[in-house]
Amino acid sequence: MKKILIVDDASFMRLSLRTMLEKNGYQVVGEAENGNEAIKLYAELKPDIVTMDITMPELDGIQALKAIMQFDRTAKVVIISAMGQETKVREAVICGAKTFIVKPFKEEQLIQTLDKIANM
Amino acid sequence: MSVQFSGEPMLDMYIFETTQNIEQLEKCILDSEKSSGYSQAAINEIFRIMHTIKGSSAMMLFNNISTLAHSIEDLFYYLREEKPDNIDCSLLSDHILTGVDFIKVELHKIINGEKADGNPSEIINDIKSFLNELKSKNPGFMDKIRPESEEQPRYYIAPTKNKASSNYNAYQAVLFFEDGCEMENIRAYSVIHNIKEFTEEVYYCPEDIIDNDNTIEIIRSQGFKITLKTDKNYDELYKFFNQTVFLKELQLIQLEDSFEFNKFTESEQKEVKAEAVMVPKTDTDSKKPSGKDTQLTGTTSGQNIISVSVAKLDKLMDLVGEMVISEAMVTQNPDLKGLQLDNFQKAARQLQKITSDIQETVMSIRMVPLAMTFQKMFRIVRDMSKKLGKEVKLELIGEETEVDKNIIEHISDPLMHLVRNSIDHGIETAEVRKSCGKPPVGTVTLEAKNSGSDVVILVRDDGRGLNKNNILKKAQENGLLQRPAADMTDREIYNLIFMPGFSTKDNVTEFSGRGVGMDVVLRNIESVGGSVSVDSEEGKGSVITIKIPLTLAIIDGMNIQVGNSRYTIPIKAIKESFRPSSKDIIMDPDGNEMIMARGKCYPILRLHKLYRVNTSITELTDGILVMVEHESKTLCIFADELLGQQQVVVKALPQYIKAKLKGKGLAGCTLLGDGGISLILDIGGLVNI
C-alpha cells in the first residue's frame, strides 16, 4: 500500500483527501498543517507521495517542497493548488513537484494522478 | 461531488472550520480597524483565510461562497503585493464584512440543511470596483495580474547545441490534457521541464505558455505540440509522455530526418523572433530558501488542542453523572446499614474523592470562556455606531470568565440584543453628550464575574438611562401595571421593561426593537436557569444584570418526600423551611390556602394535589412547608418531610413526560443514591402556576 503524507492547513481539505485516499487503497501515514511540520514528518515517515498545499502559515508549500527535494531528490510531491496560483504552481514544478491538481477536483482525478505518480 | 461527500463528517468539518475561519477573520478585521490600518500580517492572514475558504467551498460545491471568497482573495492579493498606502480602511472593512456576512448567512443555510443559494454577484461587483478604483489610484499595477515578485532570469537554448551527436532521433508529439484539469499551460510547462532533463533541443507551440494565459485555450483546442531531438527510442519516449498526469491523448511520431525536423520547427514557430526557445532558468538554487526555514528538524508543532464534538462531551457528562449516582448507591447501600466496615469506608472515601475529581475535570472541559461571545459584540458596536452616527466604544471586563458550553449558546443572542438596545436607546449622540457634560464617546461595558455557583454578566452603558415616567406611562397604556405606581420601587418600575408586550420606543429601528422585546431576552436567560434585572440612573446610564448558573448539569438540591414520590428543590431557590402552626393558616376570599409568616402572607402549594400523589399527610401541620422564591415571587411548597441536601445530576425529562407535564413546574429528573428517581422542581414555573 502506498504511503501518503497530506500537507494542508485546512482540516477540511485534509479530511477530504484522507477520505478519498483511504477509500482507494492508499495509506495516509501523516497529516501536516504547515511547511515545517511537513518537512519534519517527511523525514520521519518517508512517505511515497506527499500532497502539498501551497498557501499555509509559517512555511508555505513551495519552501517545504524545496526542503523536501533537498533532503530526498526522489521525493514525489503533488501540489494541491487553487485557481489563481499559476505563478506559485510553476515555481513548484521548477522546484521538482511531480505534478499538480487544481481545486476543486474530483476523486477520480486525484486517484488517477496519484496512481500515475506512484508508478513512476 | 455531492455523492462523494455523502458522509456527514466532511460537511461537519467544513462547517466547523469555515465558521472558525470566519470568526478569526472578523476579529482580524476589527482589530485592524481599531489599530487604524491593516498590517502586513493582517493582510496575509485574511488572504490565507479567504484562500482556504475558497478552496474548501469549491470542494463542497458551494460555488457562491467560493467565488465570493475568490474576489476577496484577489483584493488582498493586490494589497499584499502592491502595498498601496492610500486605502480607505473603513470602506475596505465594510466590503469584507459584507462578504463575511454573506458567507455567514450561507453557512447558516447549510447548517440548517437548506440550499446555499444566495447570490453574491452584487457584493463581488462592489469588491471588484473597489479593487479597480484602488488600482487606478495606484497606477503601475494595471496590467500586471498576479506577477511574480521578482523577475525570473531567463536564458536561451541554442538549437545548435549538441548537434554533433549523430544518433539523435527527431520526434513530434501532440499532447491533449483531460478536460477540467486546469492550468494546462503549466502542465505543458511541466512536460517541457521534464524533457529538458534529457535533451535541450526542444521546441514547442504555443510557446509563451507561462506568461500568456490565453495559451490555455490553444492547448485545449489544438493540443500542445512539441518537437524534440533525443537519443531515446520511440518506446522510451512514448512511455515518458504517457507518464504525464491528466493526459487525455498523445500523438507521437518519429520524424525521418533533420530536414523534416527543421521544417516542423520553422512552421510551428513562425512568429518566433529569435531562432531559440525561451525557457525559464531551472536552477532551483536561484531562490535558495534561507537555511533556517529548511532545517529538516523543523519547529516543534505538536498539537496541544484537539477538537471534540459536543455530543461526546454531553455523553461523558452524562456518564459521570451516572457514576456519581452509582457511587452513592454503593456507599450508601441500605445493606450496609449498621455494619462496622472500617476498610470499606476507607475505600469508599477514596472512591468518593476520585469521583468528585473526575466530575470537576469533566465540568471544566465543558467550560468555555465568554471571550468569544464578548468579542462578537465589537462587530455590533461597530456597525451600529456607524449607522446611527454615534460614537461608541466597547469595553470588556473579565471576558476570561468561563461558562458551560450549553449556556453560552443561550446567552449570545440576548447579549447581542442588550448591547443593541444600549447603543440604540441608551447612548446619546455626541452633541447631546457634550451638552450634558459627558465625554463625546459613549461607553458600553460588558463585564463578567463569578459569584458563587453563578456567573454574573453586566451590560453597562453611560447613556441617558431609563425614564421612569415613560415606563410607567407605557405600562399603564398596555395594562401591565398590577399595583399602583406609587407603591413601586424604582427597581420594580425599571424591571417592567421585561414584561411581555412592553416597548417604549414607538419607532422600530433597524437594530433593536424589531418586535422582539426585552421579555424575549428574559425568557432566553430563564431557559438556562438564569435571571435578568435592570438598574438605572436617569442621565447617567443603566446596568442590566444577567445571572446565569455556571453549569446546567449538576445542582445543589434539597430532596423532599411526598407520599412515595420524591422531589428535588434547587437549594438556591429555598428561603426557609418550617412546620406551620394551625393559627397561621388562613384562606383568601377565593378559597386558596395562605400562610402567615412574620406578618406576611404567602400562598401554599400542595405538591400532592398538584401531582395527584397519594399521601397520608394532608394536614398542613403534619408536614413541612418549604418557602421558595423566584424573581421576588414567593411560594410555600407543602411536602411530607425533608430528606436532606444532595448534589444532583440534572437529567432531561423523557419527551413523553415532558409533553404531558408541560407547564407543571418540572425542570427535569435525577437519580438518587438509593437508585430511586426524584423529580426536580422548576421554581420559576411553580410560582407562576
Side-chain angles (χ1 to χ4, degrees), chain A residues 93-108:
Chain A
V93 167
I94 294 171
C95 295
K98 283 286 172 278
T99 186
F100 56 94
I101 302 174
V102 182
K103 283 185 277 194
F105 51 82
K106 296 201 182 72
E107 187 173 319
E108 309 89 76

Side-chain angles (χ1 to χ4, degrees), chain A residues 9 11-12 71 84 90 100, chain B residues 17 48 146 187 210 296:
Chain A
D9 61 328
S11 40
F12 165 77
F71 173 77
R90 191 191 66 168
F100 56 94
Chain B
E17 192 170 51
R48 200 180 57 74
R146 298 218 162 182
R187 297 198 183 275
I210 290 303
L296 280 170

Side-chain angles (χ1 to χ4, degrees), chain A residues 9-13 15-16 19-20 23 33 36-37 39-40 53 55-59 63 66-67 70-71 81-87 89-91 93-95 98-109 112-113 116-117 119-120, chain B residues 1 4-5 9-10 13-14 17 47-48 51-52 54-56 58-60 70 146 148 152 178-183 186-187 189-190 193 210 242-247 280-282 284 287-289 293-301 303:
Chain A
D9 61 328
S11 40
F12 165 77
M13 280 308 300
L15 181 66
S16 304
T19 315
M20 292 181 193
K23 214 160 89 189
E33 283 182 29
N36 284 325
E37 254 179 63
I39 299 166
K40 205 174 89 195
D53 182 29
T55 318
M56 287 183 291
E58 286 186 48
L59 190 68
Q63 304 299 329
K66 283 180 184 170
Q70 224 166 44
F71 173 77
S81 114
M83 294 298 287
Q85 286 189 307
E86 284 77 2
T87 325
V89 173
R90 191 191 66 168
E91 196 182 343
V93 167
I94 294 171
C95 295
K98 283 286 172 278
T99 186
F100 56 94
I101 302 174
V102 182
K103 283 185 277 194
F105 51 82
K106 296 201 182 72
E107 187 173 319
E108 309 89 76
Q109 287 179 320
Q112 272 170 19
T113 306
K116 221 160 188 174
I117 298 292
N119 294 325
M120 254 183 197
Chain B
M1 191 102 48
Q4 268 177 42
F5 287 136
M10 203 79 79
M13 179 63 90
Y14 169 80
E17 192 170 51
F47 174 81
R48 200 180 57 74
H51 181 78
T52 303
K54 177 187 75 171
S56 304
M59 288 298 288
M60 293 300 289
H70 195 158
R146 298 218 162 182
E148 287 169 87
Q152 288 271 337
E178 270 176 30
D179 301 337
C181 71
E182 301 297 344
M183 294 191 202
I186 298 174
R187 297 198 183 275
Y189 174 78
S190 167
H193 182 74
I210 290 303
N242 246 332
Q243 280 186 343
T244 310
V245 177
F246 287 116
L247 184 68
K281 198 179 171 193
T282 55
T284 48
K287 265 193 178 178
K288 205 166 198 164
D293 288 346
T294 51
Q295 272 174 0
L296 280 170
T297 46
T299 53
T300 47
S301 44
Q303 267 192 323

Side-chain angles (χ1 to χ4, degrees), chain B residues 101-118:
Chain B
D101 287 345
F102 176 84
I103 298 177
K104 274 192 194 163
V105 170
E106 295 305 296
L107 265 183
H108 204 75
K109 289 185 196 165
I110 295 167
I111 293 168
N112 291 335
E114 293 163 33
K115 237 181 124 186
D117 51 2

Side-chain angles (χ1 to χ4, degrees), chain B residues 220-251:
Chain B
R220 278 181 192 164
S221 56
Q222 301 167 19
F224 181 55
K225 296 171 190 147
I226 308 167
T227 14
L228 76 158
K229 273 191 173 180
T230 172
D231 53 359
K232 280 187 193 289
N233 65 31
Y234 185 89
D235 286 347
E236 281 171 334
L237 201 62
Y238 190 83
K239 200 172 153 229
F240 166 80
F241 277 120
N242 246 332
Q243 280 186 343
T244 310
V245 177
F246 287 116
L247 184 68
K248 187 170 79 181
E249 193 187 329
L250 168 68
Q251 301 160 3

